[in-house]
Amino acid sequence: MTEPELGRASNGTVTTQIPARLDRLPWSRWHWMIVIGLGTVWILDGLEVTIVGSMAGRLSEEGSGLAISSAQVTGVAAALYVAGACSGALFFGWLTDRFGRKKLFLITLAVYLAATALTALSFSPWWFFVFRFLTGFGIGGEYAAINSAIDELIPSKYRGRVDLIINGSFWLGAMGGALLSVLALDTDILPKDLGWRISFGLGVVLGLVILLVRRHVPESPRWMFIHGREEGAEQLVADVERQVEAETGRPLPEPAGAITIKQRHSVGFVQIARTLCRAYPRRAVLGLALFIGQAFLYNAITFGFGSILVTFFDVGTGSTGYFFAVIAFGNFMGPLLLGRLFDTWGRRPMIAGTYLLSGALLFVTAWMFSNGWLTATTMTISWCVVLFFASAGASSAYLTVSEIFPMETRAMAIAFFYAVGTAAGGISGPLIFAGLTESGVVAETVLAFCIGATLMVLGGLVALFFAVAAEQKSLEDIATPLSAQAAEAMTAAGPATATVRTTP
């Protein structure tokens, strides 16, 4: 195999084949290490959110070791977690684009671990509130740092399905959190003041295991060659190529093409905003529609999940965790089984299809519920079917915003749309849906379902017209890096002197 070297021109541009070399790699043990090291954080997020929601009643009981009300847990603490996630995504997203993926995905996980451990030691409501905010701060930063790193390291042939499955793994954590809460709430097994602390502690243990694996995940070579570290990027990719060739026993095909960029160290907020809104307005509308649609559909169901089962179907509060585990399983199976189709059938039909179908099925569920045709079991099955498709759609929202904008703005774009979607779900959601689903009035619960379904359908219609055919394409072909645009401008202004050299 011949290995392309970087060519540095006298005008400060660099020509490289690194993106093409990464995209032509077959799946290998190296890619599994990336998935395990980076992707498993969504399990932590699902575990975290579900445990807190399930523990609200227990924490408010006398003898829990924390003088806090259920409303404070599900209201104040939940709002602070959401605020932390939004602000953490924006803050760490900017740092990720500026200082690199690896530094930030180590820092954000450390923030999460420390905040979760200190939450388990809560002795007062103010302490609990502070560290719920900081836990969200770390998780929000994870979303920006991790999604950008995954998409830049995974070959284009597999990027869609891998991204969907990783984002969908949130529901594995949710399923584990639901079942764990059943055990933690059983006072025959654990004392009332200890069970909830151990639940948080298990999240810390899982996070420490992930941190050990994550130390071996490399920096994104794409980020490195843009930020003046082309020699390190070249060495890293060459090492991976040797590992893959040794594993497969055959030489790699030649990379298809090169890219010339003007190296830079940072991008300002003004340029990021201009890129998202002026250069790619249709894509910005698409990102907003997808994130807001999935946020409202999920909140239409999950905010009233427990109260609907208890109020309308006489399910005991201690048993709702089992129903939620079933729904969480359906959520995970959607991205797992449908993910491959996003790479084969294509982004536009699959994104639009999952959004439109899940919205339509929620309308059907609302109609059946309004007519009194459902039981606790059939309602749960209906939710499972709706969320099977909705979960794949929601995961594709993260995939979409991480691949349709230039590399220099990728983490910040993810952070922006995540923050908007999370704020819509975490602020507007409780205000709109909590009262509707907890009122005990069938018509009001039906209205909550219809609001969520309508916004999901609208997101699907936007995707039908605006979704980008990004399947199996290089990230640089989907959105030209700002650094490459700068290099093209320099070339147009004078003779190009950048070259690509190859050595045996």
Side-chain angles (χ1 to χ4, degrees):
M1 182 190 75
T2 61
E3 296 183 357
E5 285 187 353
L6 291 164
R8 180 182 291 278
S10 59
N11 62 0
T13 62
V14 171
T15 299
T16 180
Q17 290 185 301
I18 282 177
R21 291 164 68 188
L22 288 170
D23 282 336
R24 62 64 148 113
L25 292 174
W27 193 261
S28 66
R29 287 191 294 267
W30 185 77
H31 295 107
W32 277 118
M33 182 263 294
I34 293 168
V35 169
I36 294 171
L38 299 183
T40 42
V41 71
W42 275 258
I43 297 176
L44 288 178
D45 192 13
L47 184 74
E48 182 81 25
V49 172
T50 308
I51 284 177
V52 173
S54 301
M55 295 291 175
R58 174 53 46 82
L59 288 170
S60 64
E61 293 178 3
E62 186 177 353
S64 69
L66 190 62
I68 194 171
S69 68
S70 180
Q72 285 178 309
V73 177
T74 58
V76 177
L80 286 171
Y81 182 86
V82 169
C86 293
S87 54
L90 293 170
F91 177 70
F92 286 121
W94 176 70
L95 293 179
T96 298
D97 281 333
R98 188 177 180 87
F99 296 110
R101 289 30 173 154
K102 180 163 186 172
K103 286 181 181 178
L104 271 299
F105 64 59
L106 291 174
I107 291 171
T108 53
L109 182 56
V111 171
Y112 164 82
L113 289 173
T116 302
L118 290 167
T119 301
L121 301 176
S122 295
F123 59 88
S124 170
W126 71 263
W127 181 281
F128 186 80
F129 295 152
V130 167
F131 289 105
R132 288 307 297 156
F133 175 85
L134 291 176
T135 301
F137 196 70
I139 284 292
E142 284 278 285
Y143 275 85
I146 300 304
N147 267 315
S148 54
I150 288 172
D151 282 356
E152 290 168 11
L153 292 169
I154 297 298
S156 57
K157 179 180 179 181
Y158 308 101
R159 188 174 62 242
R161 72 197 75 176
V162 170
D163 203 299
L164 258 71
I165 292 171
I166 285 175
N167 280 284
S169 67
F170 171 97
W171 295 101
L172 284 179
M175 184 167 55
L179 296 175
L180 179 62
S181 67
V182 173
L183 295 176
L185 291 172
D186 190 341
T187 53
D188 292 333
I189 299 176
L190 292 169
K192 161 181 313 191
D193 62 343
L194 186 60
W196 64 272
R197 299 182 189 275
I198 290 178
S199 298
F200 283 115
L202 289 175
V204 176
V205 173
L206 179 58
L208 287 172
V209 173
I210 294 172
L211 184 61
L212 292 175
V213 178
R214 189 174 287 187
R215 291 185 304 111
H216 301 289
V217 176
E219 179 58 84
S220 163
R222 284 176 156 102
W223 182 90
M224 292 172 72
F225 73 71
I226 284 180
H227 289 79
R229 295 169 54 186
E230 62 274 16
E231 292 85 0
E234 167 66 29
Q235 182 178 349
L236 193 160
V237 175
D239 288 343
V240 173
E241 288 172 333
R242 283 190 288 271
Q243 292 176 37
V244 172
E245 287 187 332
E247 182 179 334
T248 61
R250 56 179 182 271
L252 292 168
E254 290 298 317
I259 185 172
T260 300
I261 58 98
K262 175 74 171 68
Q263 291 181 322
R264 61 173 69 203
H265 294 286
S266 64
V267 178
F269 278 115
V270 173
Q271 187 168 5
I272 291 172
R274 185 185 299 119
T275 300
L276 265 59
C277 299
R278 290 189 183 178
Y280 298 98
R282 290 163 60 97
R283 297 184 182 191
V285 170
L286 173 67
L288 288 172
L290 295 183
F291 268 86
I292 292 174
Q294 61 88 22
F296 272 87
L297 178 135
Y298 269 96
N299 283 289
I301 295 176
T302 56
F303 264 105
F305 168 80
S307 61
I308 290 171
L309 291 178
V310 173
T311 303
F312 295 105
F313 301 111
D314 296 323
V315 174
T317 55
S319 301
T320 57
Y322 294 112
F323 289 91
F324 190 81
V326 173
I327 290 177
F329 179 73
N331 270 284
F332 177 65
M333 294 305 293
L336 181 66
L337 298 180
L338 299 178
R340 187 167 181 237
L341 299 179
F342 284 78
D343 285 325
T344 54
W345 285 11
R347 302 288 199 264
R348 178 172 294 172
M350 288 305 299
I351 296 172
T354 52
Y355 269 71
L356 291 170
L357 187 55
S358 58
L361 288 171
L362 186 54
F363 275 125
V364 173
T365 300
W367 174 64
M368 292 192 296
F369 177 72
S370 68
N371 285 285
W373 296 344
L374 299 175
T375 64
T377 300
T378 54
M379 176 63 107
T380 301
I381 292 172
S382 298
W383 280 334
C384 257
V385 175
V386 171
L387 297 177
F388 175 85
F389 295 102
S391 181
S395 296
S396 72
Y398 291 92
L399 166 67
T400 297
V401 299
S402 69
E403 67 181 2
I404 63 174
F405 296 105
M407 205 212 84
E408 297 87 344
T409 68
R410 180 163 295 124
M412 198 61 202
I414 296 167
F416 171 74
F417 291 106
Y418 168 76
V420 171
T422 302
I427 298 173
S428 303
L431 293 175
I432 295 173
F433 297 121
L436 293 176
T437 56
E438 293 172 3
S439 67
V441 178
V442 171
E444 293 188 358
T445 300
V446 169
L447 176 61
F449 288 167
C450 290
I451 292 172
T454 298
L455 288 169
M456 197 69 172
V457 168
L458 289 175
L461 291 174
V462 172
L464 196 60
F465 293 99
F466 287 180
V468 179
E471 59 275 4
Q472 302 194 34
K473 291 183 179 178
S474 170
L475 293 171
E476 291 71 23
D477 291 334
I478 300 168
T480 303
L482 301 180
S483 304
Q485 296 174 26
E488 290 172 2
M490 292 179 65
T491 299
T497 55
T499 60
V500 179
R501 301 190 306 274
T502 59
T503 57

